[in-house]
Amino acid sequence: MEQTISTHIHLAPILFWSLMGTPMTPQNLLDNPLTTEKCTVGCPIIDRCLGGGIPCNSITELVAESGSGKTQFCLQLTLSAQLPSSHGGLSASSLYLHTEFPFPMRRLHQLSHTFRPSNDHNPCDYVFVQSVHSVDQLLDIMPKIESFIKNSSNSRLPIRLIVIDSIAALFRSDFDNTMDDLKKRSFLFFKISGMLKAMAVGFGLAVLVTNQVVDLMEPNEGVNGLRVGNLGCLYSSGRPICPALGIAWANCVNSRLFLSRNEDFVVRENQMVNGGVGGSGSEDFVCRRTRRSLHVVFAPHLADTSCEFEITREGVFGFER
């Protein structure tokens, strides 16, 4: 099965151009770029920033520090995937692999009231959850995942979305900073990403993987893949950071998105104090506001774009500046 899918990866673009009766040349690719099905995130502003949503047939990475909204983004995507294609979805179920904390089922149920594709089924029933605690466990269940996806192909909502939240947690505790461990870790990066890409192409899946960040101690070009992508340096919470797992992992994903989180202080004028009547009148009032932004670091189909978003009880939504 692995060999069949790998062959399909190399033949897919050639087969497309053969059916079109057009030789595959760089100029033809520029004039008639290949179109890829995408899955809506559930917000038109974010979808517009992403060129329609999360693409199928590839791996998209979502990088952010803790508390920036990675998991909220992933949960919303699993529900949006169930929407019909006429609404930007994939008419599909999702497989959610969580590696750190207990799966936030309560939050998924809360979001399901907003992103309910239809009234005849519970959308939470079509999000299949599996905990993964080590790299070895992930590799062990990969064949089972492939079989599970294959068996779902004839179901009402076949699986067409895989979420891994997060990939960094599987590697950060089991490997030391030695040459042998770094080589082994890089080998596992390519092995895991190769299996994910094979399934993505073979079954038309969208794959979303979250990654953590580390503080950037030396802001020099090229450090930890700093110059990979559109953004020369990533900032969140007022400090420079970079994606975990380094340059080797950066070469394993097709697209990288970055969520930033920063605190602003906003002055609101003429706020009444002590009730106004008989009190001390009015004065300026300072409050703290969290600003979140989504940035495209690199993607073969996207320009350097970004948008601001907020996390509410109903979900993750972008807004115009």
Side-chain angles (χ1 to χ4, degrees):
M1 187 64 192
E2 199 170 298
Q3 183 178 0
T4 304
I5 294 176
S6 298
T7 303
H8 184 73
I9 293 176
H10 298 295
L11 292 181
I14 298 175
L15 179 61
F16 173 85
W17 287 101
S18 298
L19 293 174
M20 294 295 292
T22 307
M24 186 174 66
T25 64
Q27 187 60 46
N28 286 331
L29 287 172
L30 288 173
D31 296 338
N32 302 285
L34 297 175
T35 57
T36 302
E37 188 177 8
K38 299 179 180 66
C39 180
T40 176
V41 178
C43 169
I45 294 177
I46 296 178
D47 283 345
R48 186 163 61 247
C49 179
L50 299 179
I54 302 300
C56 297
N57 306 323
S58 65
I59 300 177
T60 301
E61 181 194 43
L62 190 62
V63 176
E65 67 172 331
S66 178
S68 298
K70 298 190 300 295
T71 297
Q72 303 293 323
F73 196 100
C74 293
L75 293 175
Q76 185 163 304
L77 187 68
T78 63
L79 297 171
S80 299
Q82 299 177 35
L83 295 171
S85 57
S86 59
H87 290 75
L90 301 174
S91 298
S93 300
S94 307
L95 177 61
Y96 198 114
L97 307 179
H98 62 102
T99 64
E100 291 185 277
F101 308 107
F103 181 78
M105 184 60 73
R106 182 176 179 180
R107 177 57 172 162
L108 181 67
H109 279 286
Q110 187 179 58
L111 291 174
S112 69
H113 296 297
T114 303
F115 295 90
R116 184 175 290 273
S118 65
N119 295 321
D120 58 350
H121 73 273
N122 183 352
C124 298
D125 293 339
Y126 292 89
V127 180
F128 300 95
V129 179
Q130 173 66 50
S131 62
V132 181
H133 302 294
S134 68
V135 176
D136 290 337
Q137 184 183 1
L138 178 60
L139 291 173
D140 287 342
I141 66 173
M142 277 294 195
K144 298 177 183 178
I145 290 175
E146 183 177 332
S147 177
F148 187 50
I149 294 172
K150 186 189 304 182
N151 292 335
S152 76
S153 59
N154 294 323
S155 63
R156 176 183 177 182
L157 296 178
I159 294 175
R160 294 195 59 199
L161 170 65
I162 295 179
V163 173
I164 301 180
D165 184 19
S166 73
I167 190 68
L170 298 177
F171 288 93
R172 299 184 76 173
S173 59
D174 294 340
F175 296 86
D176 295 324
N177 196 29
T178 64
M179 185 60 68
D180 288 341
D181 271 14
L182 289 175
K183 289 181 179 179
K184 181 181 179 181
R185 195 177 70 160
S186 297
F187 170 78
L188 291 172
F189 287 165
F190 289 105
K191 184 174 183 179
I192 291 172
S193 64
M195 297 171 78
L196 288 172
K197 288 177 182 177
M199 286 191 286
V201 173
F203 299 105
L205 310 178
V207 178
L208 181 65
V209 178
T210 69
N211 191 6
Q212 300 168 357
V213 301
V214 295
D215 288 333
L216 186 62
M217 306 306 294
E218 299 179 21
N220 298 318
E221 289 193 17
V223 176
N224 293 325
L226 186 61
R227 283 294 176 183
V228 174
N230 298 319
L231 302 180
C233 190
L234 310 182
Y235 283 87
S236 189
S237 297
R239 70 190 196 279
I241 58 176
C242 64
L245 306 182
I247 189 69
W249 173 252
N251 288 315
C252 293
V253 299
N254 302 101
S255 305
R256 169 172 282 173
L257 310 177
F258 170 60
L259 303 182
S260 64
R261 177 179 183 274
N262 293 287
E263 303 290 338
D264 283 347
F265 290 94
V266 181
V267 177
R268 295 181 179 177
E269 298 179 351
N270 300 325
Q271 297 293 314
M272 301 300 295
V273 296
N274 296 329
V277 178
S280 57
S282 64
E283 62 183 28
D284 293 345
F285 180 78
V286 179
C287 64
R288 190 168 64 178
R289 178 183 63 180
T290 300
R291 297 185 61 176
R292 292 181 169 89
S293 298
L294 167 68
H295 308 266
V296 175
V297 181
F298 63 78
H301 61 294
L302 297 175
D304 181 5
T305 58
S306 65
C307 69
E308 291 192 24
F309 69 94
E310 60 182 351
I311 301 174
T312 67
R313 178 183 177 86
E314 289 74 27
V316 179
F317 299 102
F319 58 88
E320 304 289 353
R321 298 182 182 180

